[in-house]
Amino acid sequence: GSSGPSKSAAISADLMTIWKEYYRATSITDALQALAAAKGPARVIAGGTDILLDLQQERLAPVDRLVDINSIPEMQKIELQDGKLTIGAAVPLSQVVAHPLVQAHAQALVEAGSLIGGPQVRNQATLGGNVAHALPAADGSIALLAQGAQAEIASLEGRRLVPIQTVYAGPGHSALRTGIDLLVAFHLPLRGVGEGTAFRRVMRPQGVALPVLNLAAWLRRDAETLVDLRIAVGPAGPVPFRAVETEALLRGKQVNQALLEQAMDCLQTEAGFRTSPHRATKDYRTHLAAVLLAEVFTAAWERAAEDR
C-alpha cells in the first residue's frame, strides 16, 4: 500500500536504536572475537524470533553489536559424529524436524520442534535460540532434556560439553555468559534397540507462544521390563524439570496399569506446578501432568517395541 516506504523507514529507524552494529560472522572464532571486541553489550542472533521481540519490547536493553551466526557452516549441520547425533545450534527448526537422522533418532525432538510457533517462525527460529532463551517450558528444551542431550559451548578459552540441564540458570536466564559463550551444537545419543521417545503438550490455540504444560520421555525396555528412562516436564519450576523421583519409581519394573497410575501420582507430587495468571491454574496443570505422562509413556513404550 501507499504507507509502505514510510512505514519501513520508521521500522529501520526504530531498529537502529536497538543496536548500533550488525556483524555477520563466518566462523566460530570470528563470532567469539566479534563479541569480545564490541564496545558495549553484544548479543548473538540466529533466527531472531525471540531476541528482536525482546529488544523491540524493551525486555532487553539496546545492544552495541548483534553478531549474526547464520553463515557459520559448522552451526548449520546435522550429522552423525563420534557415535552421537549432532545438531548445529543455528539450524532452523523446520530443517531439524524434517531431517531423516533426527526422525530416526529423536522423535521427541521432531514432535516438539514441529509445535514451536507457526511455519514462518519454524523457518527462522533455531534450536539454539529455543534453548538460549531459557524458558522452563520451551518445547525444544524439554525434548532435549528427556533425550539426554549435551550442549557444546565455545568461548575464546576453548570448547566444553555440558549436560543440557546446566545451560539454564532461571526463568529466561541462561547460564551462558553473555558476549563470551556461544552455543554451537547439541549432541544426542543415538537410538538403541528397545528405545523410544515421545513428546506431547497442551496449549492454548496455536500461535500463543507458551504451552500450558508439556512433557517428554525417553525409555529403554526389555520385553515388559522398563530398563531405563528419563522424563522432562515444564513449566514445573524455574528451569526445565527432570522428574527423577518418578523415574526412580518406574526404573527396572515390570510395566502395568497399576504401576503407571503410581507414576502419575508421583509426578503430580514431585513437580512444582504453580498457577500462571495467563495460562493455567496449579490444579489444572497437576491434572494435565498425569494425562500427559500416560500419553507420552504409552507412545514411547510402543515405539520402543517397533522393529528397527
Side-chain angles (χ1 to χ4, degrees):
S2 59
S3 68
S6 60
K7 191 173 179 188
S8 65
I11 289 171
S12 58
D14 178 40
L15 292 180
M16 291 310 292
T17 62
I18 296 173
W19 72 78
K20 293 194 180 110
E21 294 177 3
Y22 194 96
Y23 183 89
R24 195 178 289 276
T26 55
S27 71
I28 305 286
T29 306
D30 185 30
L32 293 169
Q33 288 172 344
L35 289 167
K39 296 185 181 72
R43 291 264 179 175
V44 170
I45 185 168
T49 54
D50 283 325
I51 195 169
L52 290 180
L53 279 175
D54 284 349
L55 287 165
Q56 282 174 314
Q57 294 168 7
E58 298 181 351
R59 287 191 295 269
L60 270 184
V63 295
D64 182 64
R65 177 181 284 178
L66 282 178
V67 178
D68 184 322
I69 55 172
N70 288 304
S71 303
I72 301 176
E74 183 184 348
M75 296 186 66
Q76 290 286 350
K77 287 181 183 165
I78 298 177
E79 61 189 3
L80 298 182
Q81 186 184 315
D82 301 329
K84 294 273 180 82
L85 170 62
T86 296
I87 303 173
V91 181
L93 285 166
S94 57
Q95 291 178 31
V96 173
V97 301
H99 200 284
L101 286 174
V102 183
Q103 292 179 351
H105 295 286
Q107 277 181 293
L109 187 57
V110 172
E111 289 172 334
S114 63
L115 289 170
I116 295 172
Q120 300 96 324
V121 167
R122 290 193 293 276
N123 284 335
Q124 281 288 117
T126 64
L127 196 52
N130 193 249
V131 169
H133 209 55
L135 295 177
D139 296 305
S141 297
I142 293 295
L144 287 168
L145 182 56
Q147 299 223 192
Q150 291 181 303
E152 182 178 349
I153 301 165
S155 71
L156 289 173
E157 300 142 25
R159 302 233 184 166
R160 60 192 193 274
L161 271 181
V162 300
I164 192 80
Q165 184 71 33
T166 64
V167 177
Y168 309 99
H173 294 288
S174 165
L176 298 167
R177 296 169 296 173
T178 305
I180 298 171
D181 286 332
L182 180 59
L183 189 52
V184 174
F186 302 99
H187 300 275
L188 285 71
L190 301 184
R191 183 178 171 207
V193 176
E195 294 180 0
T197 66
F199 171 93
R200 297 285 186 274
R201 80 167 176 183
V202 174
M203 60 184 298
R204 302 270 181 208
Q206 179 70 27
V208 177
L210 295 170
V212 171
L213 197 76
N214 57 12
L215 191 145
W218 165 89
L219 60 82
R220 182 188 301 133
R221 65 183 282 189
D222 180 7
E224 298 307 303
T225 301
L226 182 56
V227 179
D228 198 8
L229 78 161
R230 286 185 291 267
I231 299 166
V233 60
V239 299
F241 180 76
R242 265 285 294 279
V244 290
E245 289 173 26
T246 307
E247 292 170 7
L249 172 77
L250 288 163
R251 194 174 283 115
K253 303 266 176 60
Q254 292 273 314
V255 170
N256 55 40
Q257 188 58 34
L259 180 68
L260 194 50
E261 283 171 13
Q262 273 185 283
M264 288 155 69
D265 290 344
C266 183
L267 178 63
Q268 288 177 319
T269 309
E270 175 186 10
F273 300 118
R274 66 184 186 88
T275 294
S276 149
H278 304 299
R279 288 193 291 287
T281 63
K282 175 181 178 175
D283 289 349
Y284 182 53
R285 281 180 164 151
T286 303
H287 166 73
L288 280 183
V291 175
L292 285 185
L293 178 62
E295 279 187 25
V296 168
F297 185 88
T298 304
W301 182 253
E302 287 170 1
R303 284 175 183 169
E306 288 167 9
D307 289 330
R308 301 287 316 288

